[in-house]
Amino acid sequence: MNKNLYRCSKCGSDNIQSYEAIYNGGKSAQTSRTDGISVGSDWSVGHATTSGNSITHLAKTCAPPVKEIYGGCGVFIFYLILAIVVGAALFAIQLIVASLIVIVFPLYKWAKKITGVNAERDVEFSKAYTQWKRSYYCHRCGNRFIINENS
Ligand SMILES: [Zn+2]
């Protein structure tokens, strides 16, 4: 491990911290903060600590990427229920079969699209996550930078 690597790329200070450590520290600060909710004389609702706030704010900016999952599931369920309800209401088995056939094709297209989009998002997420893991914040000058341990 190259020791010089773990210095601010801007000012050279070693007072740096990884996003992960900042984020985890901020999270616990945020949790302890919820104890002291008070209503002020002007009816303002306040949380007790100020230092916790600033940590939390910094932590927020160092939050890891969020993995978004592409749904379309709600549309599918709606479609399925619609097909069954319409079929059952008319009491005709042919209609249920017809409705099911009608949903099979769009369903297949959905499934393909959802799989494709989610695979793309997986790649994007793992890239963003790797970058986040390598991200550092300099407490001296506020510089944000990435340390690539392999270089
Ligand atoms: Zn710096």
Side-chain angles (χ1 to χ4, degrees), residues 2-23:
N2 186 353
K3 215 184 160 199
N4 286 327
L5 212 59
Y6 290 90
R7 284 182 179 278
C8 173
S9 61
K10 207 169 174 184
C11 71
S13 166
D14 60 0
N15 189 12
I16 63 166
Q17 205 178 2
S18 70
Y19 274 27
E20 196 175 10
I22 293 169
Y23 180 69

Side-chain angles (χ1 to χ4, degrees), residues 19 62-68 120-135 146:
Y19 274 27
C62 298
V66 178
K67 189 174 188 174
E68 282 178 49
E120 258 172 53
R121 288 195 181 178
D122 269 354
V123 173
E124 273 170 39
F125 172 79
S126 63
K127 263 191 217 164
Y129 190 77
T130 308
Q131 187 157 323
W132 175 74
K133 277 283 220 183
R134 291 173 181 162
S135 293
I146 289 164

Side-chain angles (χ1 to χ4, degrees), residues 70 109-122:
Y70 181 72
K109 277 176 81 177
W110 262 320
K112 256 185 101 169
K113 194 184 168 197
I114 290 165
T115 312
V117 171
N118 280 329
E120 258 172 53
R121 288 195 181 178
D122 269 354

